[in-house]
Amino acid sequence: MAGPEKNSEFLAEFLDDYFAESEEHLAGARRGLLALEHFVHQSNIDRASLDGLFRSFHSLKGISGMVGVRAAERLAHQMESYLRALRDWQATLSPEGMDALIAGAGLLEKIISEHRAHAPITDPSQLMARLDAIISEARNNRPVDNSTTGSVSTEPDPLRTSLQALAIGDGKNVWRFDFVPKPELSARGINVNYIRAGLQQVGELMHAAPRVTPEGGIAFEFLVSTSEEITSFPDLFDDGVTYARQVLLPAGGAATVDVDVAAAPVEPMTASYQALSSRASNMVRVDLARLDELMRMVGDLVISRSRLDERVKHLEAALPAPEWRPLQETSLAMERQLRDLREGVMRVRMVPIGEIFERMQFVVRDLAREYEKQVKLELSGHQTEIDKFLVERLMDPILHLVRNAVSHGIEAPNERTALGKPREGTIALRASAAAETIVIEMEDDGRGVDAEQVIARACAMGIGIRGRGAGAGARGSGVGAESISGPREYEKLTEAKIEKAENIDSAELLELICAPGFSTRAEADRASGRGVGMNVVSNTIRGLGGTLELKTEAGKGTLFRIQLPLTLAIADALIVQAGHHRFAVPQASVREVIQIDASEIKILENNDVIVYRGAALPLLRLTRLFGLPEDQREYFHAFIVGSGLNTVGIAVDRILGQREIVVRVINDPLIQVAGVAGATELGDGRAVLILDAAALARPAEGRRIAAHNNGLPRPSNKSVESRTDA
């Protein structure tokens, strides 16, 4: 007999399966709802969309009942009832009904999440009552007799078979009733509505549809499930109804059959869910923690292979060439095989980013209604695959960007018309992958970011700004640059000094927008105004080893670009040396590696600058950033990181080579160092720090890191410095 611990372990695994299946059914429901919305106020609803939604909510009801999540079970049943009314032509899809279905899907997700977190469960009674009122009103507004209306199909209905199998699997009896309308029956008041009402007293009406008889007439077919042990319905024969008990064939036969109750007794059958699918599933659900463990083991193999490679190199001088070459070939073969294994494990962890994009359609829909705007969402690249770990953590950043685009960016329809724009605004979500990097873009065609308003708001909130100077003459030399802080000082500025809004670049503007507590809204609403959204976006992207860029043009729109590594576990890296110390630089963040002659370095306001591709490029020496001993050298190597105005060169003494490294993230805040993303181990057993190239490339971040690592006071987080425009 299984003990309590064994039962507890089984229950935990069972709940994990429930949560995973719920996510799948909810994802299918969201897709179905988006397709169904096009049929509002239409009588001819796409049957495939309706059947898919019905199956999703029916499955959610069943599995929620199995694990005891009664709130989800009740709500899913009520939503199923509305879908059944739509399918049986008892109701027409109304805007109120569509809103209730979307709200129900969101509430189902919330209830399941609350159950998972052991939090208090939200009561769905209010939404259920709303759905019930919509169903009742729709039925009251339908014609009394619709026996001669509706589309007729002679094709077998897969939903009928699926529902029949589910009901029998739940231990219920399923009966099929056929009604053929006739003039003499109609004269007695017996029509399809009369029969439907009578069958609803027998049990749960699962399915109703018209069909063409062999003689060319019209008949109506009903499926009714009941828990009662009823053997016959003799009174229905007088009303022109024939009936038969439904059973499933034993395993090996997937069809449902009609049994004539007068000719043969009904034998009990074991429910076979082969009726739900004619082919076996080729999918295996795996816990993400197991994949994490598998990736960790692959990482250990990578480190062991590096150690083997080091030993093989040391043996080159001690062994004859005929004996050493086979060792080298074996080591190289292991390297190729490990790379294939690593890529295979990574592919298993990959999921489409469409999981996030699809949810944004509901966000845009709700916010557009709330702000009385017309907005369409365009999706591209939603099949792009990234690590499941990244998908879960990208939800909030993308959600904040989309919310801001609707609330701040897209103008009201009348305002857009006055500006010569289409009344309907556009938000585009795009995703693409290149090598080891994924790029996600969120672009809108709204009003753009008002730099002057951002600066004014920053000053009013006491966030300091160090500009480039009031006029063009000060630009590039630093002359006239001054610190602006506080609302009183801002009010004293002349119009000429407000030209800082024209001189500020996108990187500096992004720093202001992402400052903690910053918001251009005086009052908060559901979508924005609390000053935490963009700060969350920035911190999350940085924490994932990525970069966030902003491009905006007044009156034209705004573009946010997120660049992230495809995975955070194992990466290719350049091994560099600076001040007798070795560092690893993720190769995905390096644009180019160049060699610099010491005589080519120019000093501009105590900053090193070189000419790179015909333009000035700021140069940061790694030895100075980390306070390491510096040797006089005739030449340096530098790796170029960043993009646009954030492009910088990081100077090092030497480039030692390229390695596949295992990323060990430093989570302890007591030992975290600015500019360091983590650590790794090379083949010789020594630990090597992994540089955060994105942090080094950010404006003024290099100076902050240098000040911090050399024991100097660190600049305030409220100070946003601009790099000298050389």
Side-chain angles (χ1 to χ4, degrees):
M1 184 175 180
E5 293 183 0
K6 193 71 174 178
N7 290 334
S8 177
E9 181 181 348
F10 172 78
L11 180 60
E13 292 181 358
F14 190 70
L15 283 174
D16 287 340
D17 288 340
Y18 164 69
F19 295 131
E21 287 188 33
S22 297
E23 289 180 5
E24 294 175 3
H25 292 309
L26 285 170
R30 283 190 289 268
R31 288 191 294 269
L33 288 171
L34 290 171
L36 191 67
E37 191 171 17
H38 299 291
F39 297 94
V40 173
H41 287 315
Q42 295 186 24
S43 58
N44 187 22
I45 299 178
D46 178 58
R47 191 58 179 261
S49 300
L50 203 57
D51 290 351
L53 273 173
F54 195 95
R55 283 192 293 269
S56 296
F57 290 122
H58 187 88
S59 300
L60 279 168
K61 179 180 75 171
I63 61 177
S64 297
M66 291 172 65
V67 298
V69 188
R70 301 304 175 194
E73 180 186 16
R74 290 165 49 215
L75 178 57
H77 176 75
Q78 192 71 352
M79 298 175 72
E80 188 183 21
S81 298
Y82 182 45
L83 292 171
R84 182 183 294 112
L86 295 175
R87 189 192 61 204
D88 295 344
W89 302 294
Q90 297 177 359
T92 301
L93 183 62
S94 63
E96 296 78 12
M98 192 69 230
D99 290 342
L101 287 174
I102 292 176
L107 185 54
L108 275 174
E109 183 176 11
K110 182 181 180 182
I111 290 172
I112 294 170
S113 298
E114 289 169 344
H115 183 75
R116 189 172 198 168
H118 304 287
I121 303 297
T122 303
D123 186 4
S125 299
Q126 185 175 358
L127 182 56
M128 291 173 61
R130 177 181 164 192
L131 279 166
D132 188 57
I134 292 172
I135 296 172
S136 300
E137 182 181 359
R139 284 175 173 167
N140 292 335
N141 292 334
R142 296 293 294 175
V144 175
D145 188 352
N146 60 356
S147 60
T148 60
T149 62
S151 59
V152 178
S153 174
T154 59
E155 296 295 325
D157 187 1
L159 179 62
R160 170 185 178 274
T161 304
S162 300
L163 293 175
Q164 183 174 311
L166 286 169
I168 295 176
D170 290 339
K172 295 182 179 180
N173 298 316
V174 178
W175 293 84
R176 170 182 162 182
F177 297 88
D178 291 287
F179 171 68
V180 180
K182 295 179 181 179
E184 57 268 30
L185 294 175
S186 181
R188 293 165 47 195
I190 299 174
N191 54 33
V192 65
N193 289 326
Y194 174 86
I195 297 299
R196 180 188 290 113
L199 293 178
Q200 287 175 339
Q201 301 299 318
V202 173
E204 180 183 0
L205 184 60
M206 302 168 54
H207 177 77
R211 62 180 176 83
V212 178
T213 64
E215 295 78 16
I218 298 294
F220 289 88
E221 174 186 303
F222 302 92
L223 280 183
V224 177
S225 66
T226 176
S227 301
E228 303 292 333
E229 288 295 335
I230 304 174
T231 58
S232 63
F233 307 88
D235 295 340
L236 292 177
F237 278 115
D238 297 333
D239 294 335
V241 177
T242 58
Y243 58 93
R245 176 89 171 267
Q246 306 290 286
V247 298
L248 294 179
L249 292 175
T256 59
V257 297
D258 296 347
V259 178
D260 188 346
V261 294
V266 177
E267 297 181 2
M269 295 286 184
T270 301
S272 171
Y273 284 89
Q274 291 176 337
L276 298 178
S277 175
S278 59
R279 58 183 180 182
S281 173
N282 59 354
M283 303 293 291
V284 177
R285 187 176 292 112
V286 180
D287 187 3
L288 186 60
R290 296 188 179 184
L291 293 179
D292 291 338
E293 180 66 14
L294 184 59
M295 184 63 82
R296 185 195 63 78
M297 290 188 285
V298 172
D300 292 340
L301 285 174
V302 170
I303 294 174
S304 298
R305 218 289 312 175
S306 297
R307 292 175 180 171
L308 175 63
D309 186 55
E310 288 290 329
R311 297 305 303 166
V312 170
K313 289 179 180 178
H314 290 160
L315 290 173
E316 183 177 7
L319 292 177
E323 295 182 15
W324 177 79
R325 285 198 186 95
L327 285 176
Q328 184 193 32
E329 292 173 359
T330 302
S331 177
L332 293 175
M334 288 183 62
E335 180 182 10
R336 290 191 297 270
Q337 292 163 0
L338 273 176
R339 183 174 290 274
D340 292 341
L341 177 60
R342 165 200 157 190
E343 292 176 353
V345 174
M346 285 176 56
R347 282 195 297 270
V348 174
R349 295 173 58 95
M350 296 295 186
V351 295
I353 198 172
E355 289 187 12
I356 300 177
F357 283 9
E358 288 176 357
R359 292 171 182 254
M360 295 304 113
Q361 299 187 67
F362 294 99
V363 174
V364 170
R365 179 184 183 275
D366 291 343
L367 290 177
R369 287 192 175 189
E370 180 177 342
Y371 288 99
E372 298 181 350
K373 297 179 179 180
Q374 297 178 14
V375 187
K376 67 176 178 179
L377 181 64
E378 296 179 349
L379 305 179
S380 61
H382 53 281
Q383 293 298 326
T384 302
E385 293 187 334
I386 61 175
D387 196 303
K388 176 67 173 177
F389 177 86
L390 295 178
V391 166
E392 294 175 349
R393 281 148 186 82
L394 279 175
M395 179 66 72
D396 283 345
I398 295 179
L399 177 62
H400 285 303
L401 292 178
V402 170
R403 281 177 172 173
N404 282 345
V406 178
S407 61
H408 292 284
I410 301 296
E411 307 93 339
N414 292 338
E415 183 181 350
R416 291 181 63 86
T417 301
L419 294 171
K421 295 183 177 182
R423 290 180 62 84
E424 185 178 52
T426 301
I427 297 176
L429 276 176
R430 298 185 289 266
S432 60
E436 298 293 318
T437 304
I438 182 172
V439 178
I440 302 170
E441 294 182 339
M442 198 289 302
E443 185 175 14
D444 67 73
D445 65 347
R447 57 173 58 93
V449 178
D450 189 335
E452 185 173 329
Q453 182 187 12
V454 170
I455 291 178
R457 184 65 175 168
C459 293
M461 296 176 64
I463 301 176
I465 305 169
R466 184 166 298 172
R468 301 179 186 178
R475 190 174 182 177
S477 63
V479 179
E482 58 184 295
S483 178
I484 311 167
S485 180
R488 293 184 180 178
E489 291 188 24
Y490 180 78
E491 292 174 359
K492 296 178 182 179
L493 289 176
T494 62
E495 292 183 2
K497 290 184 178 179
I498 298 181
E499 289 181 6
K500 290 179 184 293
E502 299 178 1
N503 296 333
I504 193 170
D505 62 35
S506 296
E508 295 165 337
L509 193 60
L510 183 62
E511 287 280 344
L512 280 179
I513 294 172
C514 295
F518 179 84
S519 176
T520 55
R521 286 280 177 91
E523 296 182 0
D525 56 24
R526 188 168 70 93
S528 58
R530 295 172 179 83
V532 296
M534 287 305 299
N535 184 250
V536 168
V537 172
S538 177
N539 290 339
T540 302
I541 299 304
R542 291 182 183 183
L544 294 174
T547 60
L548 178 66
E549 299 175 18
L550 166 68
K551 290 184 179 180
T552 184
E553 185 176 353
K556 296 294 182 64
T558 302
L559 169 68
F560 286 95
R561 178 180 289 112
I562 300 172
Q563 286 186 298
L564 291 167
L566 278 178
T567 182
L568 304 178
I570 302 175
D572 291 322
L574 296 177
I575 308 301
V576 302
Q577 180 176 313
H580 308 294
H581 290 267
R582 291 187 297 177
F583 299 90
V585 185
Q587 189 170 320
S589 60
V590 177
R591 290 173 46 189
E592 188 178 353
V593 176
I594 60 175
Q595 181 173 309
I596 304 170
D597 193 287
S599 61
E600 298 175 355
I601 301 176
K602 309 298 180 184
I603 307 298
L604 181 61
E605 294 186 347
N606 296 322
N607 294 317
D608 291 345
V609 179
I610 62 171
V611 177
Y612 169 72
R613 299 190 181 278
L617 176 72
L619 191 67
L620 301 177
R621 301 200 190 191
L622 203 58
T623 51
R624 296 177 184 176
L625 285 175
F626 291 106
L628 302 175
E630 187 173 314
D631 298 331
Q632 294 295 326
R633 305 182 64 86
E634 295 182 358
Y635 65 90
F636 300 88
H637 287 93
F639 50 91
I640 311 301
V641 297
S643 60
L645 293 175
N646 285 341
T647 304
V648 297
I650 310 296
V652 297
D653 296 342
R654 286 196 301 163
I655 305 289
L656 300 178
Q658 178 186 10
R659 289 288 182 88
E660 192 175 44
I661 63 170
V662 179
V663 180
R664 307 294 190 192
V665 180
I666 301 175
N667 294 318
D668 190 343
L670 297 178
I671 60 174
Q672 285 181 339
V673 178
V676 175
T680 188
E681 180 186 346
L682 299 183
D684 56 6
R686 289 191 294 174
V688 172
L689 296 178
I690 303 172
L691 297 182
D692 184 355
L696 300 178
R698 284 192 288 268
E701 192 70 22
R703 272 171 279 175
R704 297 181 190 179
I705 293 171
H708 175 68
N709 293 331
N710 286 283
L712 300 177
R714 190 170 184 175
S716 168
N717 287 334
K718 287 190 174 183
S719 175
V720 181
E721 299 179 309
S722 65
R723 192 177 66 242
T724 302
D725 188 352

